[in-house]
Amino acid sequence: MNIQPIKAFSDNYIWVIEEGTKAIVVDPGEAEGVLAYLEKHHLDLKAILLTHHHEDHVGGVKEIVTQYPNTPVYGPQETASLANHIIQEGDAFELLGKSFQVFKTAGHTEGHVSLLMEEALFCGDALFSAGCGRVFTGDYQAQYDALQKFKQLKDEVKVFAAHEYTQTNLRFAHSVQPSNETITEALDQVNALRKKGVPTLPSTIGREKKINPFLTAETLEDFITLRKARDQF
């Protein structure tokens, strides 16, 4: 199993899960890069997975499906205009011989879901490296609850978030925990990677427990304070 990023827009990652000549695409916000990648690597698209309805995650679905008719599209109810397999908390399904578990991870959107494939987590905009998504719903409890679900996962689980926000997130984390040497070292490492244009993802749950202030927030009130501070950063 091979998982590769396709860069889209200014900072999106569209993840491609590959098994031999077969592929699954996660959150295709645009089609051009996906179609070019599939053609270049001679991959047969077997499914599309969606975490939520925002255009930068679903904007390429229609064009991709036009090129690959009858492709199953899995997504939460809020993506029902595009998805032909509606998924929700507690669901499990199998693709390419791998089992996918569905978690509701709302807050960023009302119906946001994350998908766990063995030790690979596709979390859309619910969790970033050193950060989490903006709470557009205003439901901070839902976003906080989502973070608690992530904390229960094994440390080895890889985090395939949908945006390259790590550098800015770590700058914020350093501003609130300036004496945290682990965060300082992580920021130095990420600065070096970004100078080379290298992705900072995937991260791991274990790493995020050490560098992500939102995962270490002990109460809902602490989380809200952090999230609002990050919005102003």
Side-chain angles (χ1 to χ4, degrees):
M1 186 67 69
N2 183 29
I3 303 173
Q4 293 294 328
I6 297 174
K7 295 181 181 180
F9 310 114
S10 62
D11 51 39
N12 279 67
Y13 289 131
I14 300 168
W15 295 105
V16 182
I17 306 167
E18 303 174 24
E19 180 65 39
T21 60
K22 301 175 182 178
I24 300 168
V25 172
V26 184
D27 281 352
E30 61 91 30
E32 183 178 359
V34 173
L35 294 173
Y37 186 91
L38 295 174
E39 181 177 1
K40 177 180 178 180
H41 296 279
H42 308 289
L43 295 169
D44 184 17
L45 182 63
K46 291 300 182 181
I48 295 172
L49 308 180
L50 306 176
T51 61
H52 63 294
H53 67 83
H54 286 164
E55 187 68 12
D56 65 323
H57 292 252
V58 305
V61 173
K62 290 183 178 179
E63 185 176 346
I64 294 169
V65 171
T66 298
Q67 296 296 317
Y68 292 86
N70 303 315
T71 299
V73 180
Y74 294 78
Q77 183 62 43
E78 64 183 37
T79 65
S81 63
L82 298 167
N84 46 37
H85 293 267
I86 302 302
I87 54 178
Q88 59 185 353
E89 170 84 20
D91 283 351
F93 57 92
E94 188 171 301
L95 292 169
L96 305 188
K98 304 294 183 180
S99 178
F100 289 78
Q101 299 177 52
V102 182
F103 301 89
K104 185 174 183 180
T105 49
H108 184 69
T109 68
E110 186 175 351
H112 194 296
V113 298
S114 296
L115 300 120
L116 181 66
M117 182 193 75
E118 296 183 340
E119 291 189 351
L121 176 69
F122 300 94
C123 47
D125 288 356
L127 178 67
F128 300 128
S129 184
C132 69
R134 289 179 179 267
V135 187
F136 290 120
T137 61
D139 190 347
Y140 289 91
Q141 181 71 63
Q143 181 68 62
Y144 180 73
D145 291 345
L147 295 174
Q148 306 319 299
K149 292 179 183 179
F150 294 137
K151 286 172 67 173
Q152 299 306 309
L153 299 176
K154 296 179 181 179
D155 286 354
E156 296 76 21
V157 168
K158 293 182 179 180
V159 177
F160 292 88
H163 289 274
E164 184 55 76
Y165 290 162
T166 313
Q167 190 173 48
T168 304
N169 285 340
L170 281 170
R171 287 172 181 162
F172 170 73
H174 185 263
S175 75
V176 296
Q177 298 181 25
S179 61
N180 187 319
E181 293 184 5
T182 303
I183 290 175
T184 301
E185 291 173 3
L187 181 55
D188 289 341
Q189 293 167 358
V190 165
N191 286 339
L193 288 173
R194 295 313 296 154
K195 282 184 179 180
K196 299 175 184 178
V198 176
T200 63
L201 297 168
S203 181
T204 66
I205 292 296
R207 177 177 171 83
E208 292 310 306
K209 287 178 180 178
K210 296 176 181 177
I211 67 171
N212 194 323
F214 298 99
L215 278 185
T216 58
E218 295 184 356
T219 66
L220 174 61
E221 290 71 24
D222 289 343
F223 168 72
I224 293 174
T225 299
L226 278 171
R227 184 61 259 179
K228 290 184 175 181
R230 175 66 179 88
D231 292 343
Q232 300 298 319
F233 184 71

